[in-house]
Amino acid sequence: GTKSDLNFGSVIGLGFKKGVFDIMAELGESEVNRIAANFDKERPGFPQPKGPISKYTDFPRDILVDTKEGVRIITIRRPQAANALGLGTCDEILAELKKGDQDPSVKGFVITGYGTKAFCAGADIGGFIATFDNREAGVALARGNSQVLHYIDRMNKPVVAAVNGLAMGGGVELAIRCHAMVADKGAFFQLPEITLGILPGMGGAVIPYRKWPHASATFNEMIGQNKRLTVQEANELGMIAKITENYPGMIEAAIDQVNALAGNVPSITEGPVSITEFVVPEQPMAGKLPLSKEALGIVARVVNEAAAADSLEAALEINYQGSGDISCIAASKEGVGAFLQKRKPDFSR
């Protein structure tokens, strides 16, 4: 196995709170060497480090990378969190895209999730806590998390999302930013941020409207009411290139899409788009959950103004600024707090 396998296995298989190499990284080289030297005195003959400790701790934590038929397959491997984006996941994906972008033997990329249940459950909710009542921090978090998506926008090599199960929040934002999507028959898409008193911060209030403006009413429901979009519905809207029966078939279909898009990578609409206006209802609900009208007011402003923006860059900036605004209202604190406390939020407070 690899260093990544051992680190991952110690968490999943042995129940460690942190991987063995993560513990080593936190302890530091001198402390690890001290422990290793003491162990050697007590049990001489056991293996010792064969190089600097940094040699053992420098590797991707959250992704697996394979190559098949000249296509680089990047798998988000965080099944303990339904493949949610951790603090370093986006940076690891970005680094791999940059590496493959410079390699002439790589034709393109597939991004998928580990296992069969989840493509990606979104971003780490705990990261939002540091942005409460700090508008600049809210904007910076949204913009920082989006760097990998900006890079995909500029790529000439195709990037295809293979959606192997649920895609929620930031997972949807990652998938729709890819140049094409294929999906397993059990996949679905959901943007539940409004039930947390926040909004899709990585371009989720911009990109779907610019890529599929004819489906804007559906996206309004997804963002404003937490509507779940089935893979069949996404296919009917033209979002999915192919629905597959199993994981191996999905990867093959994704590779086929990479080959089909070679030399003809689609770009996102730059100019303004005509959409169904996002309107805040008098008594907004997501199912049986009453929502925050204040939060939805910010969402409505972002969606409508971004659709009318003269460029994609300007539209995304509206989205990021909206993330900063929404991090400063009571609804975001209540929604995120309720999620972390595993209770139903009360936005009437």
Side-chain angles (χ1 to χ4, degrees):
T2 65
K3 291 178 285 187
S4 178
D5 292 332
L6 180 56
N7 201 63
F8 173 72
S10 62
V11 174
I12 298 300
L14 300 179
F16 289 10
K17 290 184 178 180
K18 297 180 180 178
V20 288
F21 290 121
D22 292 332
I23 295 171
M24 289 171 62
E26 286 189 7
L27 289 173
E29 185 149 353
S30 60
E31 179 64 7
V32 173
N33 284 328
R34 185 191 68 79
I35 293 170
N38 286 345
F39 185 79
D40 188 50
K41 291 177 183 177
E42 294 176 4
R43 291 172 173 76
F46 274 81
Q48 287 286 307
K50 291 180 168 47
I53 299 306
S54 58
K55 171 185 173 183
Y56 296 93
T57 58
D58 183 17
F59 60 90
R61 264 60 172 178
D62 297 346
I63 63 172
L64 295 176
V65 182
D66 300 282
T67 301
K68 184 175 183 180
E69 301 172 26
V71 175
R72 196 64 48 86
I73 301 170
I74 301 171
T75 303
I76 302 169
R77 182 168 71 167
R78 299 189 73 230
Q80 71 275 27
N83 299 326
L85 302 173
L87 294 177
T89 313
C90 289
D91 288 340
E92 291 182 4
I93 295 172
L94 177 58
E96 197 56 46
L97 291 175
K98 287 181 176 179
K99 188 190 304 181
D101 217 5
Q102 301 301 315
D103 186 343
S105 70
V106 176
K107 297 187 292 185
F109 304 84
V110 171
I111 299 178
T112 191
Y114 186 80
T116 58
K117 293 183 179 180
F119 170 75
C120 174
D124 181 9
I125 298 299
F128 291 99
I129 295 176
T131 72
F132 291 161
D133 294 323
N134 188 333
R135 189 178 185 283
E136 291 74 18
V139 173
L141 179 66
R143 190 181 284 129
N145 286 344
S146 301
Q147 292 307 302
V148 65
L149 307 182
H150 284 288
Y151 190 82
I152 292 172
D153 292 344
R154 300 190 298 268
M155 290 179 68
N156 293 317
K157 291 183 180 181
V159 182
V160 176
V163 185
N164 53 302
L166 67 89
M168 302 183 75
V172 174
E173 293 178 292
L174 173 60
I176 64 175
R177 208 62 166 265
C178 294
H179 304 126
M181 291 189 288
V182 300
D184 179 75
K185 62 183 179 181
F188 65 87
F189 303 83
Q190 201 161 3
L191 292 167
E193 284 88 346
I194 196 60
T195 65
L196 305 177
I198 57 178
L199 56 73
M202 297 161 57
V206 172
I207 301 300
Y209 296 95
R210 296 211 162 212
K211 293 184 79 169
W212 306 283
H214 63 279
S216 57
T218 296
F219 301 136
N220 287 350
E221 291 181 303
M222 290 181 70
I223 295 173
Q225 301 173 32
N226 192 27
K227 170 185 167 61
R228 176 181 291 193
L229 188 70
T230 68
V231 70
Q232 292 80 13
E233 290 171 326
N235 186 54
E236 290 169 4
L237 293 173
M239 298 171 63
I240 305 295
K242 186 174 182 179
I243 299 175
T244 60
E245 292 294 318
N246 51 53
Y247 196 100
M250 180 189 65
I251 298 299
E252 288 295 335
I255 292 173
D256 289 343
Q257 280 297 302
V258 169
N259 291 326
L261 292 175
N264 189 30
V265 174
S267 58
I268 301 170
T269 300
E270 271 292 329
V273 289
S274 177
I275 68 167
T276 302
E277 183 183 4
F278 192 112
V279 177
V280 180
E282 190 60 37
Q283 294 183 319
M285 304 282 289
K288 296 182 180 180
L289 176 68
L291 300 174
S292 164
K293 288 189 72 174
E294 184 179 14
L296 274 167
I298 294 173
V299 171
R301 188 191 75 226
V302 167
V303 169
N304 295 330
E305 289 185 3
D310 290 333
S311 69
L312 176 60
E313 181 181 2
L316 289 170
E317 187 60 28
I318 291 169
N319 203 157
Y320 304 150
Q321 295 296 326
S323 294
D325 292 337
I326 212 164
S327 67
C328 295
I329 66 173
S332 62
K333 303 179 192 65
E334 169 60 17
V336 172
F339 178 86
L340 295 175
Q341 295 164 21
K342 298 182 179 179
R343 62 175 174 81
K344 184 178 178 180
D346 179 3
F347 293 116
S348 64
R349 297 180 184 182

